[in-house]
Amino acid sequence: MKQASKTKERVEKPLTVRPALSRAAVQFVEKHPHEVTGIVASALEAAALEAGLVPLKERVLPEALRRLVVSRGSTSGEGRVLSISEAAELLEVTRVTVYAWIESKRLLAWRATRRGVLIPAEQIMGAGEVVLGIAQVLAVIGEPEAAWDFLDEESAFVDPEESVRPIDALRQGKVDAVVAAAHSFLEAFS
């Protein structure tokens, strides 16, 4: 008999699926009911884009929404890390090729516990093209994440007159200077 009353209680309680709206949001919906669908659709499109569910080639965010989306990195790629699939798409190669490039140290990557393999975006120059010198840096600093820390931080080791990021120096073709700086960096912090 107790079980029947519990079932009845569950049926009588209303199920709320939607999130609670602020008073201002409710007032907006009441005053502008015809605009709500478009706003929700735009917000969902922006969320799908930010979640990485839209292929890189199709990512075009309407100008009105750009200020509402917080990017994981700048448009230049600075600070961004990519998944294997994102890197493959950006490089216009297969995932197998990306794995092969990581294995051959042509592309710097490391495994993160929950996020899988992480590939810094700045080392990708374009379709099928990566920054030269990654393998030489990895030969000096064998741990990929530590090598990236070296490449990503401004350093006087590369040019004593000016602090530059070694990844930027590699992009400029200064492979020998960056490799020498990697040796100096290792000696200074060993």
Side-chain angles (χ1 to χ4, degrees):
M1 192 156 224
K2 285 184 181 180
Q3 213 170 16
S5 65
K6 284 183 183 177
T7 305
K8 188 175 180 183
E9 284 177 23
R10 277 188 252 152
V11 173
E12 291 175 6
K13 290 183 181 178
L15 179 64
T16 304
V17 177
R18 62 178 169 74
L21 295 175
S22 68
R23 187 173 357 152
V26 170
Q27 288 173 347
F28 179 86
V29 170
E30 289 171 350
K31 288 182 181 180
H32 307 282
H34 300 293
E35 295 177 35
V36 172
T37 304
I39 292 169
V40 170
S42 295
L44 290 172
E45 291 294 335
L49 178 71
E50 185 61 23
L53 300 174
V54 179
L56 287 173
K57 292 177 185 174
E58 297 174 18
R59 292 183 183 187
V60 178
L61 190 62
E63 187 65 39
L65 292 179
R66 287 191 184 145
R67 63 184 178 81
L68 302 175
V69 177
V70 177
S71 178
R72 283 180 269 183
S74 68
T75 56
S76 69
E78 191 172 321
R80 277 189 64 218
V81 288
L82 307 171
S83 68
I84 294 289
S85 296
E86 290 171 324
E89 198 169 337
L90 197 58
L91 287 162
E92 296 181 11
V93 298
T94 65
R95 290 170 45 94
V96 172
T97 300
V98 171
Y99 280 112
W101 287 3
I102 292 168
E103 184 68 29
S104 68
K105 299 186 188 308
R106 180 176 177 186
L107 196 59
L108 187 145
W110 62 89
R111 181 166 294 284
T113 310
R114 289 193 169 153
R115 294 185 59 199
V117 176
L118 302 179
I119 302 166
E122 284 186 89
Q123 65 186 314
I124 297 174
M125 303 285 283
E129 193 178 348
V130 296
V131 172
L132 296 177
I134 296 293
Q136 291 92 324
V137 171
L138 285 170
V140 177
I141 305 171
E143 169 58 38
E145 195 169 2
W148 181 251
D149 287 343
F150 160 73
L151 289 169
D152 191 38
E153 293 295 320
E154 285 190 2
S155 171
F157 290 112
V158 177
D159 183 351
E161 294 180 22
E162 179 183 354
S163 277
V164 297
R165 291 184 330 141
I167 188 66
D168 295 329
L170 282 181
R171 286 175 157 272
Q172 296 166 3
K174 300 176 182 176
V175 175
D176 292 338
V178 172
V179 170
H183 283 289
S184 298
F185 175 82
L186 225 97
E187 289 170 11
F189 295 101
S190 296

